[in-house]
Amino acid sequence: NGKAKKGDIRPIYAKIISAVDTTDRDDAICSLEAEKQKRNHLEKLHLATSMQCHMYASHNRKLRKEIEELKSRLKLGFLPALPPVPGHGFYVPLRSILASPDK
């Protein structure tokens, strides 16, 4: 290819020019991105609350098991029941702590 001359350059004219309004498309893309962010945030929130619910359910099962065990021990006589305080119901010790003056 040789060097181009000024006479080699020809202007090109378009017969039809059409303008396309893309504001609706741009707005739809922006709202889609906003919805994606909201959905992502809500999915993370759901995951966190779901994990928290499972943790509390596990803790609840553990406490129920401990209550049943203590009730059975109380029925067998291993734990003494405290006398009821008027107006406050019954008190049952859940745990005992051995305290010695040596430590």
Side-chain angles (χ1 to χ4, degrees), residues 39-54:
R39 181 181 176 146
N40 191 16
H41 172 70
L42 290 175
E43 284 177 350
K44 287 180 183 178
L45 184 63
H46 177 265
L47 182 63
T49 54
S50 177
M51 294 290 284
Q52 200 173 30
C53 180
H54 288 299

Side-chain angles (χ1 to χ4, degrees), residues 44-99:
K44 287 180 183 178
L45 184 63
H46 177 265
L47 182 63
T49 54
S50 177
M51 294 290 284
Q52 200 173 30
C53 180
H54 288 299
M55 181 185 70
Y56 286 140
S58 172
H59 187 65
N60 190 8
R61 283 191 298 274
K62 179 181 142 193
L63 290 176
R64 284 181 190 265
K65 183 178 177 183
E66 184 178 346
I67 287 171
E68 290 301 320
E69 179 184 322
L70 289 172
K71 281 182 181 178
S72 67
R73 289 174 60 189
L74 184 62
K75 284 182 183 177
L76 294 175
F78 292 129
L79 289 176
L82 296 178
V85 177
H88 289 85
F90 295 94
Y91 291 99
V92 177
L94 295 178
R95 292 192 173 97
S96 61
I97 300 173
L98 297 177

Side-chain angles (χ1 to χ4, degrees), residues 9 24 82 86:
I9 298 174
D24 292 337
L82 296 178

Side-chain angles (χ1 to χ4, degrees), residues 20-43:
V20 178
D21 186 15
T22 60
T23 55
D24 292 337
R25 182 178 158 279
D26 295 340
D27 291 341
I29 289 173
C30 289
S31 66
L32 177 66
E33 288 298 321
E35 289 297 322
K36 282 182 182 178
Q37 289 177 353
K38 286 180 188 177
R39 181 181 176 146
N40 191 16
H41 172 70
L42 290 175
E43 284 177 350

